[in-house]
Amino acid sequence: MARGVTTATLRSMTYLPPPAEELRFLDAELRRLDAHRAQLLARRAWLVSVLQSAAPGPAAPPFTGPAPATVPRPEASAPRVQNVLLVLGGVLLTIAAMAFTLVSWGHLGIAGRAAVLGTVTAAALAAPVPLLRRGLRSTAESVAGLGLALTVLDAYALHEAALADTDGTAYAAVAATVLAGAWAAYGTALGALRLPRPAALAAAQLPLLLTALAADAGPYGISAALLLTATADAAAALLVTSPALRPVRITAAIGAYGTGGWGLLGALWLSWTAPGPGAAARAAALLLPASAVAVTAAWRTAGTAAPGTTGATSTTGVTGTTGVTGTTGSAGATSTTGPTPAPAAPGTPSPALPAQPLTTTLPTATALLGILVLLAALGGVLRVTLPGGWAVPGELLGALALLAALRVPGMPERVRLGVAWACAAVQGIALLWALPLVAVALFGPFGWADRPWSGRPADARDAVTVHAPWLSHSGPALAVLGLLAGALALLVRNAAWRPRALAGAAVLAWAAALSLPAALELPYVAGLLVLGLLTAAVLALPVLPPTGTVLALVTSVDLAFLALADRTATLTVLSALTVLYAAASTRPRFAPLTAPAALAYATALACATGAAAGWQPPHTALLVLVVPAVAVAVAPRLATTARGACEVTGVVAALVAVGLAVTDAPVLALVLSSLGVLAAATAVRPDRRSAGYAAAALFALAAWVRLAAWEVTAPEAYTLPVTVPALLVGAWRRRRDPLTGSWAAYGPGLAVTLLPSLAALWRDEGWPRPLLLGSAALLVTLLGARHRLRAPLVLGGAVLVLTALHELAAYLVQFADALPRWVPPALAGLLLLALGATYERRLRDVRRVRDVLGRMS
């Protein structure tokens, strides 16, 4: 080893395998150790057998080798088998006792009955004492369970034998009370037994309920009995802290949630169906103590969590405070404190983790339940006290007031989280209750789309209820929207959630303002004015401009549809919206949405103006052309993010103009040519060169529509206006790029005219078209040969040959009719022989022609 190598250097050079590789290594090592242990056990067994056979007798056989590496394991452990046997024995004895009591009871007298049951019960209850002294705890538990079951049978037998005339429900209540007390005393006397005290707690669930049923207390009494029993269970679960009494605590918790759940359901139903304030107050008197018990239980369980566990959570909701043991984080994040324990050495058992009293989510869920029960009690009283749906705003006010409890000092973080979730749940339910009003105000104006200018409605409510009924709780719904908006704007102070809260408050305030004219039944014109002012105000909202712009756009769409009821209102509203959005487009942050909106409203204004003036749709299309012209002029001056949207809107307006003019061919040709001019103007810009193709297509379409309007049927009139520009463009391309092929430069332009004319030639019987087409084809062929261009040569030659065949077709037919019938087959055979004889020479000629054409461009 070199002297310069230090300990730190060697430590950094140590190979640390990844976790997966290290885990595989550990598994292999454990399997090797298990195999070695099995061999050692086999050797030990052999040695024991040798020692046992050291006495006179035949010698033990020598050890021949290791035992198998894997020893079969039993499928059930000995304690588990023991417990199963004891439980089965206790169950069978209990069934036998029940059979004796129910079937064989009548064969004995009163003294015999008492002697048998008393003796068996006393023996079963006394037997656990000696069993515990001998350490047979499981057997003692089984026998004690049998004794407890026998006491129930004793109570039943006593009623049937001596107290048959008493009320069965009242007797059951007394018997359950006596049995619960007796079992509790028995379990206290024999503290080593786990079964009697949880059984006593389970029996204690019945006395109050049975007493209420026996006294015919009604639904209020039954709910009160269940809730009182659950309260006692909760107290037992909170006060019993000894680890030895953990079964009692678990039983009490189950009883508290189970019995309390049924009691809460009954009380909530009574509160929901209360016919008057008195009944609602009685239901609230049941719910309020239950709420207090739930919150107290959540507080106690959250405060008794073991330190250093993962139960401490930290939230950044409304308060933004830190957790119990962690630092400030997101909602639901967990944090732990204390030193991290060092990993145990291989082969040593893992230390037992400290048992937590309750799960970490239980305090939060219990606090959530308690606050919801409290708010439900408040809502039940408000429902029968306040008229017309005002109970919901009152409930919401109660939930918002409870948010002040989040700042109570000393409140555990998990309880605070449950209270916050409960208040948020009530706010969400209130919002869902108010949303139908917003839906009617938002979507109601669209009903005027199928009845434009049919007459001004009486008020703003009639304007939004064209196809939808109005809601009776509009006032309370507006109050809910206002309260929620104010709560978000004023109560949320956390820096991370503040922008979102302000955006939500803005949306809720906008929804309330949108519904306000219809809710107040304002006059129709006043409603339009309110929506117009709302559009302008929301558009200038300083909080989160994208949100304000979207809300303004939605409001303006509602306003535009609402104005369709009246002609003057339509023109006025569309003009105002066009000017408003055009002015807003001067601000770059608004332009991506406001510039297209201005063009869209301008298009609608042009259509409405033409309809108001009594113009025909084709004449209105000329007015709509102003919008694409403005888009072409304005788009280069806008930012990149708004330019594309503006141009797309201009294209949509152009399509509207074409659709309006489609019934009048001359006007349609004018519209298409105008759009071609606009496309050509757009193509002047370096980033929009591709618009030149659209311009050429529009000019061609305009020419074709004009020719169709003149009733021109010659295809050359339609194709030549396309061929000439195409050939000029091809010549320009070849001048700029000499490597451009003739097919790409001249092929499309030549094919556009030559092929349709050739198709029309076979239907034309006159002589001008063949003469002109043949001359043109000859000229194209000569030009292709002169400049060695493949496309003109091939296209011109093919058209020239087909034209000549067309002219000679009649003579060929006459000549064929004059020939005998054997001549065509003979000529075909001679032709085939000639071709076969000169095949090689013809192939050489074809190769030469191909080489000549290949050298042309």
Side-chain angles (χ1 to χ4, degrees):
M1 179 186 304
R3 294 183 178 273
V5 179
T6 61
T7 304
T9 304
L10 291 175
R11 187 181 297 112
S12 63
M13 294 173 58
T14 302
Y15 172 69
L16 296 176
E21 182 178 351
E22 186 176 358
L23 181 61
R24 288 193 298 268
F25 172 75
L26 292 177
D27 291 340
E29 188 68 17
L30 289 174
R31 286 192 296 269
R32 189 184 65 79
L33 291 175
D34 290 339
H36 187 58
R37 183 174 183 272
Q39 293 177 1
L40 294 178
L41 289 175
R43 178 67 176 175
R44 180 182 180 279
W46 180 78
L47 293 175
V48 170
S49 65
V50 169
L51 293 176
Q52 291 177 354
S53 60
F63 180 72
T64 58
T70 57
V71 180
R73 294 182 57 188
E75 296 183 357
S77 61
R80 181 171 299 179
V81 174
Q82 164 195 303
N83 293 334
V84 170
L85 293 177
L86 292 176
V87 170
L88 288 176
V91 170
L92 291 176
L93 288 175
T94 303
I95 294 174
M98 292 175 60
F100 170 77
T101 304
L102 297 176
V103 178
S104 301
W105 181 258
H107 299 290
L108 300 176
I110 296 177
R113 300 171 187 175
V116 170
L117 276 180
T119 303
V120 174
T121 303
L125 293 177
V129 177
L131 292 175
L132 289 175
R133 291 176 181 174
R134 297 189 178 186
L136 302 176
R137 180 175 176 178
S138 299
T139 306
E141 293 281 359
S142 299
V143 177
L146 174 63
L148 298 181
L150 289 175
T151 57
V152 177
L153 294 177
D154 289 341
Y156 170 77
L158 179 63
H159 179 267
E160 293 297 324
L163 302 174
D165 296 334
T166 60
D167 181 60
T169 306
Y171 177 80
V174 175
T177 304
V178 173
L179 289 177
W183 292 353
Y186 180 71
T188 304
L190 300 178
L193 295 178
R194 295 182 178 180
L195 180 61
R197 280 174 287 195
L201 194 58
Q205 309 299 311
L206 299 176
L208 290 179
L209 176 61
L210 294 176
T211 301
L213 292 175
D216 197 12
Y220 289 95
I222 294 174
S223 299
L226 291 173
L227 291 176
L228 285 175
T229 304
T231 302
D233 292 334
L238 294 174
L239 296 177
V240 175
T241 58
S242 174
L245 298 178
R246 191 166 182 266
V248 176
R249 187 175 187 182
I250 294 175
T251 305
I254 295 174
Y257 282 100
T259 309
W262 286 108
L264 283 178
L265 288 177
L268 290 172
W269 177 255
L270 293 174
S271 177
W272 182 259
T273 59
R282 290 195 296 272
L286 296 175
L287 293 174
L288 292 178
S291 172
V293 170
V295 174
T296 303
W299 196 302
R300 290 288 302 270
T301 54
T304 57
T309 62
T310 58
T313 61
S314 57
T315 65
T316 58
V318 176
T319 60
T321 57
T322 60
V324 176
T325 59
T327 58
T328 304
S330 59
T334 61
S335 58
T336 61
T337 59
T340 304
T348 59
S350 302
L353 295 176
Q356 297 183 9
L358 292 173
T359 60
T360 58
T361 58
L362 190 58
T364 301
T366 307
L368 171 65
L369 176 64
I371 298 302
L372 288 179
V373 170
L374 173 62
L375 294 174
L378 175 63
V381 175
L382 294 178
R383 184 183 61 82
V384 297
T385 305
L386 300 178
W390 284 99
V392 177
E395 183 93 355
L396 181 59
L397 280 175
L400 296 176
L402 280 176
L403 291 176
L406 298 177
R407 303 184 183 277
V408 173
M411 177 182 289
E413 187 67 21
R414 282 171 287 177
V415 176
R416 182 179 287 111
L417 184 61
V419 175
W421 276 111
C423 296
V426 173
Q427 295 174 43
I429 294 173
L431 178 61
L432 292 177
W433 180 80
L435 282 182
L437 173 67
V438 182
V440 172
L442 183 61
F443 299 107
F446 291 97
W448 292 101
D450 59 349
R451 54 176 70 182
W453 299 351
S454 58
R456 180 178 298 183
D459 52 36
R461 180 174 295 182
D462 291 339
V464 299
T465 55
V466 180
H467 296 299
W470 185 249
L471 303 177
S472 59
H473 57 271
S474 57
L478 284 177
V480 166
L481 294 174
L483 289 173
L484 289 175
L488 287 176
L490 299 177
L491 298 181
V492 179
R493 296 296 181 183
N494 185 270
W497 290 88
R498 181 68 175 169
R500 303 177 188 177
L502 292 178
V507 173
L508 291 173
W510 165 82
L514 183 69
S515 309
L516 187 63
L520 298 181
E521 294 185 86
L522 298 179
Y524 175 69
V525 177
L528 295 179
L529 183 60
V530 169
L531 291 184
L533 294 176
L534 178 63
T535 302
V538 175
L539 192 61
L541 192 67
V543 180
L544 296 179
T547 304
T549 308
V550 172
L551 295 181
L553 186 60
V554 174
T555 310
S556 64
V557 171
D558 255 11
L559 177 60
F561 275 95
L562 204 61
L564 286 177
D566 183 69
R567 178 183 305 177
T568 305
T570 300
L571 297 176
T572 304
V573 167
L574 291 178
S575 301
L577 291 177
T578 302
V579 173
L580 175 64
Y581 279 99
S585 300
T586 58
R587 305 176 68 178
R589 63 178 183 176
F590 292 152
L593 287 178
T594 56
L599 294 176
Y601 286 125
T603 304
L605 177 61
C607 296
T609 302
W615 295 353
Q616 295 297 323
H619 298 158
T620 304
L622 299 177
L623 185 59
V624 176
L625 284 177
V626 177
V627 179
V630 173
V632 171
V634 171
R637 296 175 174 82
L638 296 176
T640 305
T641 55
R643 189 177 304 161
C646 182
E647 292 173 344
V648 170
T649 310
V651 171
V652 173
L655 294 177
V656 172
V658 172
L660 292 174
V662 74
T663 57
D664 192 335
V667 177
L668 178 60
L670 178 59
V671 170
L672 291 174
S673 59
S674 302
L675 294 177
V677 172
L678 295 177
T682 303
V684 175
R685 293 161 45 191
D687 58 337
R688 293 292 186 268
R689 297 299 188 192
S690 59
Y693 298 103
L698 288 171
F699 282 130
L701 288 175
W704 292 348
V705 172
R706 183 71 263 183
L707 291 172
W710 288 338
E711 299 182 355
V712 176
T713 58
E716 291 80 8
Y718 295 89
T719 57
L720 285 176
V722 178
T723 297
V724 174
L727 293 177
L728 294 176
V729 172
W732 176 72
R733 287 186 61 185
R734 281 185 60 84
R735 171 167 290 189
R736 292 191 59 186
D737 185 9
L739 297 179
T740 304
S742 61
W743 283 108
Y746 303 116
L750 294 174
V752 165
T753 295
L754 293 177
L755 298 182
S757 298
L758 182 63
L761 175 66
W762 293 90
R763 299 191 305 269
D764 191 0
E765 297 180 356
W767 60 270
R769 187 187 300 276
L771 178 60
L772 294 175
L773 181 59
S775 302
L778 179 60
L779 178 61
V780 170
T781 303
L782 294 176
L783 290 175
R786 170 67 179 82
H787 297 284
R788 296 186 178 182
L789 299 176
R790 186 183 304 173
L793 183 61
V794 174
L795 287 175
V799 173
L800 182 60
V801 171
L802 292 175
T803 303
L805 289 176
H806 174 267
E807 293 303 311
L808 296 176
Y811 300 102
L812 293 176
V813 171
Q814 295 176 2
F815 181 72
D817 292 339
L819 290 176
R821 295 186 179 273
W822 56 268
V823 174
L827 293 176
L830 291 175
L831 178 61
L832 291 175
L833 290 175
L835 289 175
T838 59
Y839 184 75
E840 185 177 0
R841 185 167 57 86
R842 297 305 182 189
L843 286 178
R844 185 176 65 246
D845 295 340
V846 170
R847 292 191 186 97
R848 289 177 181 177
V849 174
R850 185 187 62 185
D851 294 338
V852 171
L853 291 177
R855 288 192 293 268
M856 297 181 182
S857 59

